[in-house]
Amino acid sequence: FGGAYVNLVGEAVSRDGRFGVAGGMVLQPYRHLASGARGKQVDVGFVPEVKISDATSITGMVSYGTSRYWGEFLHTPSTSTLPPKLKFPSRYAASWSDWDVGNFNAGLIARTRAGKWQLQVSAFHSRNQADRSDYTLFTSDAQGLGRASGVYTRPRTTASSSGEVKLAPTLGEGHRVCGMARARHTRTLSRPGFIVDLGPSDQSQMTPPTPTPLVTNVDPTLDLVEQLTAGLGYEAKLSDRLQIRAGIQRTRYRKSVAVPGLPINLNDESNWLYDVAAVFQITPRWTIFATATRGLEESGSAPANAANRYDVLNAVVARQYEVGFRGRIGTISLIGSVFEVAKPTAALAPNGI
């Protein structure tokens, strides 16, 4: 979109092959977004690896990114006719609107093998800091005339730590069992934003400057998520053509939300999860596969406009089924599948719950 950037990528390996590192960075000091906004962005990441022996290795990862620009905006037509096309580049976001977000990720995976046993231990930490994530809302008629409002956001911080231990013995030729235990802890501190009326708007013009809103300090809402999971898996090569995999997990999910001045909302539940897969090789060039999965997803808490606002919603149990193929025609690879995903989605009931 007319911006400038620098992309650097590299790798290095020691002479004995025991140590290596890959990494890179993207520098965008003059970032131009599709929305017409202007800003800057920096992303840096590295993946070091140490091979202690032929059977033991440690792989790490670390990344940091920061992005800052004018902020987002949304348009809603007030009539059945769409407004005229936007003119770029124009600053449609409020003059005080800002988007300032940074993220940090770090982790490691350690693997070792002794005879028929394989052990893997991993740990990760992620942190997202959104000092500002403002956006501007427009309601416009067919001529692009209407009204604008800006949403001023306060800081929001999310930090997540997770870890896993996996042990897998090999049971004869083509058979393997895997035991797994994992845990995660996520902590989010957020403060509510507020809406500022920006007055009449004309889509053919930049949004007129307005005074920066007066911001008052408010106590944060604390959102905590804890999850413990244990599982067993089995993989087998039943013939030269057929491979199967199956796994079952028991997970405990606990989420609490503490809003200032209100009782703590809590949800504590346990679920059985599973995954099954089969791969069959029809010919050396053509393979078919089928999978079935039952997983868990967070559903958050009820919004402020609900009668049970801030109540912690039950975790969503999602199911996915898939059947597909993979093959080659000459030098062309073909992959195709059909799948179905089913899961409940939260919505307001007639009584506002």
Side-chain angles (χ1 to χ4, degrees):
F1 305 106
Y5 72 94
V6 177
N7 185 16
L8 303 175
V9 179
E11 61 181 38
V13 181
S14 62
R15 288 187 176 182
D16 59 5
R18 296 289 186 182
F19 176 78
V21 60
M25 64 179 66
V26 178
L27 308 177
Q28 300 183 78
Y30 304 104
R31 187 185 180 197
H32 294 184
L33 282 76
S35 64
R38 300 289 187 262
K40 56 185 177 181
Q41 182 169 336
V42 177
D43 292 288
V44 182
F46 296 96
V47 181
E49 183 177 54
V50 178
K51 294 183 179 179
I52 300 174
S53 67
D54 292 339
T56 304
S57 67
I58 299 176
T59 303
M61 58 85 69
V62 60
S63 70
Y64 172 78
T66 179
S67 178
R68 184 168 188 178
Y69 54 94
W70 292 347
E72 302 287 356
F73 63 86
L74 296 171
H75 277 267
T76 300
S78 59
T79 65
S80 59
T81 303
L82 289 175
K85 290 184 177 181
L86 302 177
K87 294 185 176 181
F88 296 109
S90 295
R91 176 155 187 161
Y92 288 105
S95 57
W96 43 262
S97 181
D98 192 14
W99 193 281
D100 190 356
V101 177
N103 63 79
F104 171 79
N105 302 282
L108 62 84
I109 301 174
R111 303 180 181 91
T112 189
R113 185 179 67 255
K116 295 182 178 180
W117 292 86
Q118 295 182 14
L119 174 65
Q120 177 176 298
V121 179
S122 59
F124 299 93
H125 178 76
S126 297
R127 181 180 177 88
N128 182 275
Q129 177 72 42
D131 292 331
R132 294 277 296 279
S133 51
D134 303 336
Y135 54 98
T136 307
L137 305 175
F138 296 91
T139 302
S140 305
D141 58 18
Q143 287 73 44
L145 303 177
R147 200 162 188 88
S149 57
V151 178
Y152 190 102
T153 58
R154 294 183 173 93
R156 174 188 178 95
T157 303
T158 299
S160 178
S161 298
S162 60
E164 181 188 64
V165 177
K166 188 158 52 177
L167 185 63
T170 301
L171 306 177
E173 185 68 25
H175 296 264
R176 192 167 74 115
V177 176
C178 177
M180 171 273 295
R182 66 166 65 108
R184 74 180 181 99
H185 178 275
T186 302
R187 183 175 187 266
T188 301
L189 286 174
S190 61
R191 296 166 175 83
F194 55 92
I195 298 177
V196 179
D197 184 17
L198 301 177
S201 64
D202 184 348
Q203 201 167 283
S204 65
Q205 306 292 329
M206 294 177 61
T207 302
T210 54
T212 301
L214 180 63
V215 183
T216 57
N217 292 327
V218 296
D219 293 329
T221 293
L222 175 61
D223 187 318
L224 290 177
V225 174
E226 295 176 331
Q227 189 171 358
L228 297 172
T229 304
L232 287 173
Y234 173 70
E235 299 177 5
K237 188 175 182 180
L238 301 182
S239 68
D240 292 339
R241 294 187 175 186
L242 179 62
Q243 299 180 53
I244 63 170
R245 186 191 73 230
I248 188 168
Q249 302 176 22
R250 181 67 171 175
T251 184
R252 181 184 178 184
Y253 169 82
R254 179 184 177 95
K255 180 181 175 71
S256 63
V257 176
V259 180
L262 296 177
I264 295 177
N265 283 288
L266 178 67
N267 177 42
D268 194 340
E269 58 183 293
S270 298
N271 289 278
W272 286 100
L273 309 175
Y274 64 80
D275 65 280
V276 182
V279 179
F280 183 75
Q281 188 177 33
I282 303 174
T283 71
R285 284 176 166 260
W286 291 92
T287 300
I288 57 175
F289 61 87
T291 67
T293 306
R294 187 177 194 261
L296 199 71
E297 297 183 9
E298 288 191 47
S299 55
S301 53
N305 63 327
N308 59 331
R309 64 177 185 171
Y310 309 126
D311 276 2
V312 177
L313 305 178
N314 291 334
V316 168
V317 175
R319 296 175 177 85
Q320 177 172 320
Y321 308 97
E322 183 175 16
V323 177
F325 69 88
R326 181 178 59 200
R328 293 182 64 85
I329 300 177
T331 59
I332 300 176
S333 297
L334 297 176
I335 300 175
S337 68
V338 292
F339 61 90
E340 178 184 83
V341 180
K343 61 182 179 181
T345 302
L348 285 175
N351 60 358
I353 298 296

